[in-house]
Short mmCIF file of all heavy atoms in Angstrom, two decimals:
data_model
loop_
_atom_site.label_atom_id
_atom_site.label_comp_id
_atom_site.label_asym_id
_atom_site.label_seq_id
_atom_site.Cartn_x
_atom_site.Cartn_y
_atom_site.Cartn_z
N ASN A 1 -18.62 -0.36 7.35
CA ASN A 1 -18.68 0.38 8.61
C ASN A 1 -17.28 0.74 9.09
O ASN A 1 -16.32 -0.01 8.89
CB ASN A 1 -19.42 -0.44 9.67
CG ASN A 1 -20.92 -0.38 9.47
OD1 ASN A 1 -21.48 0.69 9.25
ND2 ASN A 1 -21.58 -1.53 9.52
N ILE A 2 -17.17 1.90 9.72
CA ILE A 2 -15.86 2.40 10.12
C ILE A 2 -15.53 2.11 11.58
O ILE A 2 -14.40 2.29 12.01
CB ILE A 2 -15.76 3.92 9.86
CG1 ILE A 2 -16.90 4.67 10.55
CG2 ILE A 2 -15.75 4.20 8.38
CD1 ILE A 2 -16.80 6.18 10.41
N THR A 3 -16.51 1.64 12.35
CA THR A 3 -16.31 1.18 13.73
C THR A 3 -15.45 2.14 14.55
O THR A 3 -14.45 1.75 15.15
CB THR A 3 -15.69 -0.23 13.76
OG1 THR A 3 -14.40 -0.20 13.12
CG2 THR A 3 -16.60 -1.23 13.04
N THR A 4 -15.83 3.39 14.57
CA THR A 4 -15.13 4.39 15.38
C THR A 4 -16.11 5.44 15.85
O THR A 4 -17.14 5.66 15.21
CB THR A 4 -13.99 5.05 14.58
OG1 THR A 4 -13.30 5.98 15.44
CG2 THR A 4 -14.54 5.82 13.38
N PHE A 5 -15.78 6.05 16.99
CA PHE A 5 -16.57 7.18 17.49
C PHE A 5 -15.77 8.47 17.44
O PHE A 5 -16.19 9.48 18.01
CB PHE A 5 -17.03 6.90 18.94
CG PHE A 5 -17.83 5.63 19.07
CD1 PHE A 5 -17.29 4.51 19.66
CD2 PHE A 5 -19.13 5.57 18.59
CE1 PHE A 5 -18.03 3.34 19.78
CE2 PHE A 5 -19.88 4.42 18.71
CZ PHE A 5 -19.34 3.30 19.31
N ASP A 6 -14.63 8.46 16.77
CA ASP A 6 -13.77 9.62 16.66
C ASP A 6 -14.35 10.59 15.63
O ASP A 6 -14.41 10.27 14.44
CB ASP A 6 -12.37 9.17 16.24
CG ASP A 6 -11.40 10.33 16.07
OD1 ASP A 6 -11.80 11.49 16.28
OD2 ASP A 6 -10.23 10.08 15.72
N PRO A 7 -14.78 11.79 16.04
CA PRO A 7 -15.40 12.73 15.08
C PRO A 7 -14.50 13.06 13.90
O PRO A 7 -14.99 13.20 12.77
CB PRO A 7 -15.67 13.97 15.93
CG PRO A 7 -15.79 13.45 17.32
CD PRO A 7 -14.80 12.32 17.41
N LEU A 8 -13.20 13.19 14.12
CA LEU A 8 -12.29 13.52 13.03
C LEU A 8 -12.26 12.38 12.01
O LEU A 8 -12.28 12.62 10.79
CB LEU A 8 -10.89 13.79 13.56
CG LEU A 8 -9.84 14.21 12.51
CD1 LEU A 8 -10.27 15.50 11.83
CD2 LEU A 8 -8.47 14.35 13.17
N ARG A 9 -12.22 11.17 12.49
CA ARG A 9 -12.23 10.00 11.59
C ARG A 9 -13.57 9.90 10.86
O ARG A 9 -13.61 9.60 9.66
CB ARG A 9 -11.95 8.75 12.40
CG ARG A 9 -12.15 7.44 11.68
CD ARG A 9 -11.03 7.14 10.73
NE ARG A 9 -11.18 5.81 10.18
CZ ARG A 9 -10.90 5.48 8.93
NH1 ARG A 9 -10.45 6.39 8.09
NH2 ARG A 9 -11.04 4.25 8.51
N ILE A 10 -14.66 10.14 11.56
CA ILE A 10 -15.98 10.09 10.94
C ILE A 10 -16.07 11.11 9.81
O ILE A 10 -16.60 10.84 8.73
CB ILE A 10 -17.08 10.36 11.99
CG1 ILE A 10 -17.14 9.21 13.00
CG2 ILE A 10 -18.44 10.53 11.32
CD1 ILE A 10 -18.03 9.49 14.19
N ALA A 11 -15.52 12.31 10.05
CA ALA A 11 -15.64 13.40 9.08
C ALA A 11 -14.76 13.21 7.86
O ALA A 11 -15.08 13.69 6.78
CB ALA A 11 -15.30 14.73 9.75
N THR A 12 -13.64 12.49 8.02
CA THR A 12 -12.63 12.47 6.95
C THR A 12 -12.39 11.11 6.31
O THR A 12 -11.68 11.03 5.31
CB THR A 12 -11.29 12.99 7.49
OG1 THR A 12 -10.83 12.11 8.54
CG2 THR A 12 -11.43 14.40 8.05
N HIS A 13 -12.96 10.04 6.86
CA HIS A 13 -12.55 8.70 6.40
C HIS A 13 -12.81 8.48 4.92
O HIS A 13 -11.98 7.89 4.21
CB HIS A 13 -13.23 7.62 7.23
CG HIS A 13 -14.68 7.39 6.90
ND1 HIS A 13 -15.70 8.16 7.42
CD2 HIS A 13 -15.27 6.50 6.08
CE1 HIS A 13 -16.85 7.73 6.95
NE2 HIS A 13 -16.63 6.74 6.12
N GLU A 14 -13.94 8.95 4.41
CA GLU A 14 -14.25 8.69 3.00
C GLU A 14 -13.45 9.60 2.07
O GLU A 14 -13.09 9.19 0.97
CB GLU A 14 -15.75 8.84 2.74
CG GLU A 14 -16.18 8.42 1.35
CD GLU A 14 -15.99 6.94 1.04
OE1 GLU A 14 -15.81 6.13 1.99
OE2 GLU A 14 -16.01 6.57 -0.15
N HIS A 15 -13.16 10.82 2.52
CA HIS A 15 -12.28 11.68 1.73
C HIS A 15 -10.90 11.04 1.60
O HIS A 15 -10.30 11.05 0.52
CB HIS A 15 -12.16 13.06 2.36
CG HIS A 15 -13.38 13.90 2.23
ND1 HIS A 15 -14.33 13.99 3.21
CD2 HIS A 15 -13.81 14.69 1.21
CE1 HIS A 15 -15.30 14.81 2.82
NE2 HIS A 15 -15.02 15.24 1.61
N ALA A 16 -10.38 10.52 2.72
CA ALA A 16 -9.07 9.88 2.68
C ALA A 16 -9.08 8.67 1.77
O ALA A 16 -8.15 8.44 0.99
CB ALA A 16 -8.65 9.49 4.09
N ALA A 17 -10.16 7.87 1.85
CA ALA A 17 -10.26 6.68 1.00
C ALA A 17 -10.37 7.06 -0.47
O ALA A 17 -9.76 6.43 -1.34
CB ALA A 17 -11.45 5.83 1.43
N LEU A 18 -11.14 8.11 -0.75
CA LEU A 18 -11.31 8.56 -2.14
C LEU A 18 -9.97 9.01 -2.73
O LEU A 18 -9.59 8.59 -3.83
CB LEU A 18 -12.33 9.70 -2.18
CG LEU A 18 -12.73 10.24 -3.55
CD1 LEU A 18 -14.13 10.83 -3.48
CD2 LEU A 18 -11.77 11.31 -4.06
N LEU A 19 -9.24 9.85 -2.00
CA LEU A 19 -7.96 10.32 -2.51
C LEU A 19 -6.95 9.18 -2.60
O LEU A 19 -6.09 9.17 -3.49
CB LEU A 19 -7.43 11.45 -1.62
CG LEU A 19 -8.24 12.74 -1.67
CD1 LEU A 19 -7.65 13.77 -0.71
CD2 LEU A 19 -8.31 13.31 -3.08
N GLY A 20 -7.05 8.22 -1.69
CA GLY A 20 -6.18 7.05 -1.79
C GLY A 20 -6.45 6.26 -3.06
O GLY A 20 -5.52 5.77 -3.71
N ASP A 21 -7.72 6.15 -3.44
CA ASP A 21 -8.06 5.44 -4.67
C ASP A 21 -7.66 6.24 -5.91
O ASP A 21 -7.29 5.66 -6.93
CB ASP A 21 -9.56 5.13 -4.70
CG ASP A 21 -9.95 4.10 -3.65
OD1 ASP A 21 -9.05 3.42 -3.12
OD2 ASP A 21 -11.15 3.99 -3.34
N VAL A 22 -7.74 7.56 -5.81
CA VAL A 22 -7.23 8.41 -6.91
C VAL A 22 -5.72 8.17 -7.08
O VAL A 22 -5.22 8.07 -8.20
CB VAL A 22 -7.51 9.89 -6.64
CG1 VAL A 22 -6.75 10.78 -7.62
CG2 VAL A 22 -9.01 10.17 -6.75
N ALA A 23 -5.01 8.07 -5.96
CA ALA A 23 -3.56 7.85 -6.02
C ALA A 23 -3.24 6.51 -6.67
O ALA A 23 -2.21 6.36 -7.33
CB ALA A 23 -2.97 7.90 -4.61
N ARG A 24 -4.10 5.52 -6.49
CA ARG A 24 -3.87 4.20 -7.08
C ARG A 24 -4.28 4.12 -8.54
O ARG A 24 -3.95 3.16 -9.24
CB ARG A 24 -4.63 3.13 -6.29
CG ARG A 24 -4.08 2.90 -4.91
CD ARG A 24 -4.59 1.60 -4.33
NE ARG A 24 -5.97 1.70 -3.87
CZ ARG A 24 -6.66 0.68 -3.38
NH1 ARG A 24 -6.11 -0.53 -3.34
NH2 ARG A 24 -7.90 0.85 -2.96
N SER A 25 -5.03 5.11 -9.02
CA SER A 25 -5.50 5.09 -10.40
C SER A 25 -4.33 5.33 -11.36
O SER A 25 -3.39 6.06 -11.05
CB SER A 25 -6.56 6.18 -10.61
OG SER A 25 -7.69 5.97 -9.79
N THR A 26 -4.41 4.72 -12.52
CA THR A 26 -3.34 4.84 -13.51
C THR A 26 -3.79 5.53 -14.79
O THR A 26 -2.99 5.70 -15.71
CB THR A 26 -2.79 3.44 -13.86
OG1 THR A 26 -3.86 2.63 -14.36
CG2 THR A 26 -2.17 2.77 -12.64
N THR A 27 -5.06 5.94 -14.85
CA THR A 27 -5.57 6.67 -16.02
C THR A 27 -6.51 7.75 -15.53
O THR A 27 -7.06 7.68 -14.42
CB THR A 27 -6.34 5.73 -16.98
OG1 THR A 27 -7.53 5.27 -16.32
CG2 THR A 27 -5.49 4.54 -17.41
N TRP A 28 -6.71 8.77 -16.38
CA TRP A 28 -7.66 9.81 -16.03
C TRP A 28 -9.09 9.27 -15.98
O TRP A 28 -9.92 9.75 -15.21
CB TRP A 28 -7.57 10.97 -17.02
CG TRP A 28 -6.49 11.93 -16.64
CD1 TRP A 28 -5.32 12.16 -17.28
CD2 TRP A 28 -6.50 12.78 -15.49
NE1 TRP A 28 -4.57 13.11 -16.61
CE2 TRP A 28 -5.27 13.52 -15.51
CE3 TRP A 28 -7.39 13.01 -14.45
CZ2 TRP A 28 -4.94 14.44 -14.53
CZ3 TRP A 28 -7.07 13.94 -13.47
CH2 TRP A 28 -5.86 14.64 -13.52
N ARG A 29 -9.34 8.27 -16.79
CA ARG A 29 -10.69 7.68 -16.75
C ARG A 29 -10.97 7.10 -15.37
O ARG A 29 -12.05 7.29 -14.81
CB ARG A 29 -10.81 6.60 -17.82
CG ARG A 29 -12.17 5.93 -17.84
CD ARG A 29 -12.28 4.92 -18.96
NE ARG A 29 -13.60 4.31 -19.01
CZ ARG A 29 -13.99 3.42 -19.90
NH1 ARG A 29 -13.14 3.03 -20.85
NH2 ARG A 29 -15.20 2.92 -19.87
N ASP A 30 -9.98 6.37 -14.81
CA ASP A 30 -10.17 5.82 -13.48
C ASP A 30 -10.27 6.92 -12.42
O ASP A 30 -11.08 6.83 -11.50
CB ASP A 30 -9.01 4.88 -13.13
CG ASP A 30 -9.32 3.43 -13.50
OD1 ASP A 30 -10.39 3.18 -14.07
OD2 ASP A 30 -8.47 2.57 -13.22
N ARG A 31 -9.44 7.94 -12.54
CA ARG A 31 -9.46 9.02 -11.54
C ARG A 31 -10.83 9.71 -11.52
O ARG A 31 -11.42 9.94 -10.46
CB ARG A 31 -8.35 10.02 -11.83
CG ARG A 31 -6.95 9.47 -11.63
CD ARG A 31 -5.86 10.52 -11.85
NE ARG A 31 -4.56 9.87 -11.88
CZ ARG A 31 -3.90 9.54 -12.99
NH1 ARG A 31 -4.42 9.86 -14.18
NH2 ARG A 31 -2.74 8.93 -12.93
N LEU A 32 -11.29 10.07 -12.71
CA LEU A 32 -12.58 10.78 -12.78
C LEU A 32 -13.74 9.87 -12.41
O LEU A 32 -14.70 10.32 -11.78
CB LEU A 32 -12.77 11.36 -14.18
CG LEU A 32 -11.76 12.45 -14.58
CD1 LEU A 32 -12.00 12.90 -16.02
CD2 LEU A 32 -11.84 13.63 -13.62
N SER A 33 -13.65 8.60 -12.77
CA SER A 33 -14.70 7.66 -12.38
C SER A 33 -14.74 7.49 -10.87
O SER A 33 -15.81 7.40 -10.26
CB SER A 33 -14.48 6.30 -13.06
OG SER A 33 -14.66 6.41 -14.46
N THR A 34 -13.57 7.43 -10.25
CA THR A 34 -13.50 7.30 -8.80
C THR A 34 -14.18 8.47 -8.11
O THR A 34 -14.85 8.31 -7.09
CB THR A 34 -12.02 7.21 -8.35
OG1 THR A 34 -11.44 6.03 -8.90
CG2 THR A 34 -11.90 7.18 -6.84
N VAL A 35 -14.03 9.66 -8.68
CA VAL A 35 -14.60 10.85 -8.07
C VAL A 35 -16.08 11.02 -8.41
O VAL A 35 -16.89 11.34 -7.53
CB VAL A 35 -13.82 12.10 -8.53
CG1 VAL A 35 -14.51 13.38 -8.05
CG2 VAL A 35 -12.39 12.05 -8.00
N LEU A 36 -16.44 10.78 -9.66
CA LEU A 36 -17.77 11.16 -10.13
C LEU A 36 -18.79 10.03 -10.11
O LEU A 36 -19.98 10.28 -9.94
CB LEU A 36 -17.67 11.73 -11.55
CG LEU A 36 -16.81 12.98 -11.69
CD1 LEU A 36 -16.72 13.39 -13.16
CD2 LEU A 36 -17.37 14.12 -10.85
N ARG A 37 -18.35 8.79 -10.31
CA ARG A 37 -19.31 7.70 -10.34
C ARG A 37 -19.73 7.31 -8.92
O ARG A 37 -19.21 7.82 -7.93
CB ARG A 37 -18.73 6.50 -11.09
CG ARG A 37 -18.47 6.81 -12.55
CD ARG A 37 -17.93 5.61 -13.32
NE ARG A 37 -18.92 4.56 -13.46
CZ ARG A 37 -18.76 3.49 -14.24
NH1 ARG A 37 -17.64 3.35 -14.95
NH2 ARG A 37 -19.70 2.58 -14.34
#
């Protein structure tokens, strides 16, 4: 749960988390798995 009522945060929190996890990935397999799985 994101525990916020901020519409901007509600709309973008998972996109930000997804791209953050892509940034932490060290292989294309991890990057594509993060996006597609």
Side-chain angles (χ1 to χ4, degrees):
N1 282 314
I2 55 176
T3 61
T4 182
F5 302 107
D6 179 0
L8 183 61
R9 170 76 173 142
I10 293 171
T12 62
H13 76 276
E14 187 65 17
H15 287 96
L18 185 153
L19 292 178
D21 292 344
V22 169
R24 291 196 284 177
S25 299
T26 58
T27 66
W28 275 111
R29 179 176 182 178
D30 267 3
R31 293 183 190 99
L32 295 177
S33 293
T34 297
V35 173
L36 299 176
R37 296 182 68 171

